[in-house]
Amino acid sequence: MKSKRFEALDARPVNQDGYVTEWPEVGLIAMNGPNDPTPSIRIEDGVVVELDGKQRADFDMIDTFIADYGIRLDKAEEVCKTDSRELARQMMDFHVPRAEVVQLTTAMTPAKITEVVGTMSVLEMMMAVTKMRARLFPANQAHVTNLKDNPVQIAADAAEGALRGFAEEETTVGIVRYAPFNAIANMVGSQVGRPGILTQCSVEEATELALGMRGFTAYAETVSVYGTEQVFMDGDDTPWSKSFLASCYASSGLKMRFTSGTGSEVQMGAAEGKSMLYLEARCLYITKGAGSQGIQNGSVSCIGVPAAVPSGIRAVLAENLIAMSLDLECASSNDQTFTHSDLRRVARSLMQFVPGTDFICSGYSATPNYDNMFAGSNWDADDYDDWLIIQRDLKIDGGLQPVVEEDVVRVRNKAARVIQAIFRELGLTEVTDEEVEAATYARGSKDMPARNVVEDLKAAEDLMKRGITGVDIVLALDRAGFEDVANSVYNMLKQRVAGDYLHTSAILNEDFQVISAVNYPNDYRGPGTGYQMTDERWDKLKTIRQAISPESI
């Protein structure tokens, strides 16, 4: 006879998830792996001749790149000899300034920094994240996609997301040839919601760069790096080719960060028997050495792998902390869905939510999850109220803010009308009044009328052949009478020329002023320091639409 308690437990959502025991020999271990190298470094005449137990003659291409570009050498040998627990204490001790800690962490080897964070509990890592985040205050990023690649819906969703507080918005495509329409809709729609939102379109790298150079996007982050040579080569890349690509973005005035995450190497079958966190540390040192301003990490699309093994979610927090400790901007994932359990998905996010990261989510879905083309998100549009109330419960700024229905309807309608006008002015496919009305009130693509996909794809291809750029978008908006949106898009294009937002952790406010780790550095030194929410901001966050006034009862 079966226990009825176990019968009930077996039916719980958490038991629909997959779990495995550790298998270190193939890399199925989150951190503190028995095959991880012992930290070491030896420098002769300014050249690293030994790194984490390997002699230079035995270096693979990743070792060589990290040794030559990724480590601050002046203190490297001294730091490597320092007790890892003492270094961990300095990372979390608010008496030790962040700038002082960064001098040490950027001098560590990948094995050393992995060993250091491996001594820390989750709570200790969260305390360290509070101090080690590069920018003074946290922000958030949205995914703006839909199953039909409908640009009218993308524009409306981007406008609503911007109104709700997202500082960055990312789209992608189901059909690659839709990319120009999706990129334009995301960029323009976001400016309707709040001027100064940074946007991107995640597609194949050459196309993504071309869209950016046209002025249809402002940043990129899907430039992936890996922790073993075989996996890197399977992607037809090297650290040097990724560095070259990063310089292409930067020279065009495009903000750019790399992407990595625990579990990618074991998922691709070439983990070399090392722990997921150690291999992720190698990715982060490549990112640092390549000169990228930051990283999207936290396992991201591989989250199911670390989530299946013991201490896996702890390793995700550890990789975020390592990124910050290398003085990189950290977009800390909370991205792809990985569990059937609401309790578990919230627990996974609280470790970034509570201390705050540069972008708590690198993909909060601004749509219902059925429309999320990034394989579904850990958080989506149906969770907006939960997120806002958790902020209110804990008095935490998670980057979003309460809105009222009338304002959402207003910006969605305007964004849809703006896209209708752009398509008309540029001689593209028609956007009907019916589509504008539907996008104004839609929850998702199931509420949108179908578009003529064949004609859309022809028009998108024609747009690219005609050499249409962001300037043409500005002129079209001005002709159509949307002068305010035209000015916002024009100001975004001017940022590309100035390049100030290429600094670490940069976002723009509604006046197009750059806010980054340079002019707003995190100066946390304990209670009452660092980011302190203003009374005005707190009044905004606590005034949720569901709250009733006791005096009115």
Side-chain angles (χ1 to χ4, degrees):
M1 192 172 197
K2 188 171 177 62
S3 163
K4 294 193 180 298
R5 285 198 172 179
F6 276 87
E7 201 170 64
L9 286 171
D10 287 345
R12 295 280 293 172
V14 73
N15 284 314
Q16 296 178 48
D17 296 349
Y19 308 97
V20 297
T21 55
E22 293 173 330
W23 187 3
E25 290 76 16
V26 299
L28 270 174
I29 184 167
M31 52 196 298
N32 305 108
N35 302 318
D36 288 351
T38 300
S40 71
I41 191 167
R42 187 161 53 88
I43 303 165
E44 294 179 359
D45 298 324
V47 176
V48 176
V49 295
E50 179 187 330
L51 180 66
D52 292 337
K54 276 189 187 177
Q55 301 305 307
R56 192 172 185 95
D58 300 320
F59 285 1
D60 63 18
M61 68 178 180
I62 296 175
D63 297 317
T64 302
F65 189 85
I66 292 171
D68 291 350
Y69 305 109
I71 300 173
R72 180 191 176 110
L73 297 183
D74 57 341
K75 296 185 177 181
E77 291 179 321
E78 174 190 346
V79 169
C80 201
K81 294 173 184 175
T82 304
D83 181 72
S84 290
R85 286 185 176 81
E86 174 54 32
L87 293 168
R89 291 186 194 102
Q90 292 188 56
M91 287 175 71
M92 62 174 289
D93 185 352
F94 60 73
H95 295 101
V96 185
R98 179 185 187 275
E100 194 174 305
V101 175
V102 166
Q103 301 259 339
L104 304 176
T105 49
T106 53
M108 295 180 188
T109 69
K112 184 65 174 179
I113 205 164
T114 304
E115 183 178 276
V116 169
V117 299
T119 69
M120 303 170 78
S121 70
V122 164
L123 179 59
E124 290 161 348
M125 288 185 207
M126 290 171 68
M127 293 170 67
V129 166
T130 302
K131 182 175 79 175
M132 298 307 296
R133 180 183 67 244
R135 188 179 58 241
L136 178 62
F137 55 88
N140 223 329
Q141 181 200 113
H143 283 163
V144 185
T145 66
N146 62 72
L147 280 170
K148 300 176 181 178
D149 285 331
N150 188 314
V152 191
Q153 183 188 336
I154 285 175
D157 287 338
E160 179 180 347
L163 182 71
R164 287 183 177 276
F166 292 107
E168 290 186 348
E169 297 192 320
E170 174 188 16
T171 190
T172 190
V173 295
I175 302 173
V176 171
R177 289 161 60 198
Y178 253 119
F181 280 6
N182 289 21
I184 291 169
N186 191 38
M187 172 186 68
V188 175
S190 68
Q191 299 306 309
V192 172
R194 194 272 275 175
I197 304 299
L198 303 178
T199 62
Q200 70 155 317
C201 183
S202 173
V203 286
E204 175 269 328
E205 288 171 353
T207 304
E208 191 166 338
L209 183 57
L211 293 172
M213 294 177 75
R214 294 285 186 105
F216 299 159
T217 60
Y219 76 102
E221 70 178 353
T222 49
V223 180
S224 299
V225 289
Y226 304 98
T228 64
E229 188 174 71
Q230 184 59 53
V231 173
F232 231 126
M233 291 168 63
D234 286 344
D236 296 323
D237 267 309
T238 71
W240 290 269
S241 65
K242 291 296 186 182
S243 301
F244 178 75
L245 183 60
S247 70
C248 291
Y249 280 104
S251 64
S252 301
L254 284 156
K255 176 181 174 180
M256 196 281 306
R257 54 177 170 256
F258 285 177
T259 294
S260 62
T262 51
S264 62
E265 296 83 11
V266 65
Q267 182 168 280
M268 295 175 74
E272 299 178 354
K274 305 299 192 297
S275 74
M276 300 179 200
L277 184 61
Y278 167 70
L279 296 180
E280 171 62 9
R282 281 160 62 90
C283 297
L284 297 172
Y285 278 82
I286 292 168
T287 304
K288 183 70 174 177
S292 173
Q293 73 171 34
I295 189 80
Q296 173 187 218
N297 83 332
S299 198
V300 198
S301 57
C302 301
I303 184 64
V305 179
V309 300
S311 199
I313 300 302
R314 172 175 168 244
V316 169
L317 176 61
E319 66 173 289
N320 295 150
L321 176 56
I322 292 174
M324 298 172 211
S325 300
L326 294 181
D327 209 20
L328 297 168
E329 170 183 290
C330 179
S332 57
S333 188
N334 285 298
D335 195 320
Q336 186 169 304
T337 184
F338 75 101
T339 179
H340 295 83
S341 165
D342 281 341
L343 296 176
R344 197 171 179 225
R345 73 183 176 96
V346 174
R348 178 259 184 274
S349 297
L350 279 178
M351 292 175 289
Q352 292 80 20
F353 196 130
V354 173
T357 63
D358 290 315
F359 297 95
I360 297 169
C361 296
S362 55
Y364 186 122
S365 181
T367 64
N369 251 331
Y370 76 77
D371 262 340
N372 188 289
M373 299 302 290
F374 290 96
S377 179
N378 201 45
W379 296 87
D380 65 46
D382 295 338
D383 298 317
Y384 278 142
D385 287 343
D386 296 84
W387 187 280
L388 294 171
I389 290 169
I390 292 171
Q391 286 183 153
R392 186 179 188 262
D393 288 341
L394 305 181
K395 196 180 181 182
I396 284 173
D397 191 340
L400 300 189
Q401 59 200 23
V403 295
V404 295
E405 184 177 356
E406 293 84 350
D407 287 341
V408 168
V409 168
R410 173 180 54 80
V411 298
R412 290 184 68 91
N413 179 261
K414 182 175 180 180
R417 287 187 290 111
V418 164
I419 285 299
Q420 183 183 47
I422 288 173
F423 275 42
R424 181 182 65 245
E425 293 293 329
L426 294 180
L428 304 172
T429 38
E430 181 186 11
V431 173
T432 65
D433 290 342
E434 179 192 7
E435 288 179 275
V436 170
E437 180 76 1
T440 300
Y441 299 100
R443 172 174 172 256
S445 62
K446 294 177 183 177
D447 307 309
M448 295 294 296
R451 288 184 59 78
N452 188 324
V453 175
V454 173
E455 291 304 313
D456 269 351
L457 296 179
K458 287 179 182 177
E461 187 175 351
D462 178 61
L463 177 146
M464 296 299 280
K465 285 180 178 176
R466 282 190 280 154
I468 297 294
T469 70
V471 174
D472 297 295
I473 303 294
V474 172
L475 294 174
L477 287 165
D478 187 61
R479 289 195 301 269
F482 292 103
E483 186 178 346
D484 57 337
V485 187
N487 282 331
S488 291
V489 175
Y490 180 57
N491 279 323
M492 285 303 308
L493 296 177
K494 288 199 296 184
Q495 291 296 324
R496 297 275 304 279
V497 178
D500 291 340
Y501 78 138
L502 301 184
H503 289 302
T504 302
S505 304
I507 56 177
L508 301 174
N509 66 15
E510 63 185 10
D511 297 317
F512 293 90
Q513 296 169 326
V514 175
I515 298 169
S516 74
V518 174
N519 58 347
Y520 285 85
N522 184 7
D523 58 355
Y524 179 75
R525 294 292 299 276
T529 67
Y531 175 51
Q532 298 295 306
M533 205 184 305
T534 64
D535 291 342
E536 180 184 22
R537 178 67 175 165
W538 176 228
D539 283 342
K540 182 177 286 189
L541 296 193
K542 69 184 180 182
T543 309
I544 56 173
R545 62 187 175 87
Q546 300 91 336
I548 60 174
S549 171
E551 296 92 339
S552 67
I553 300 174

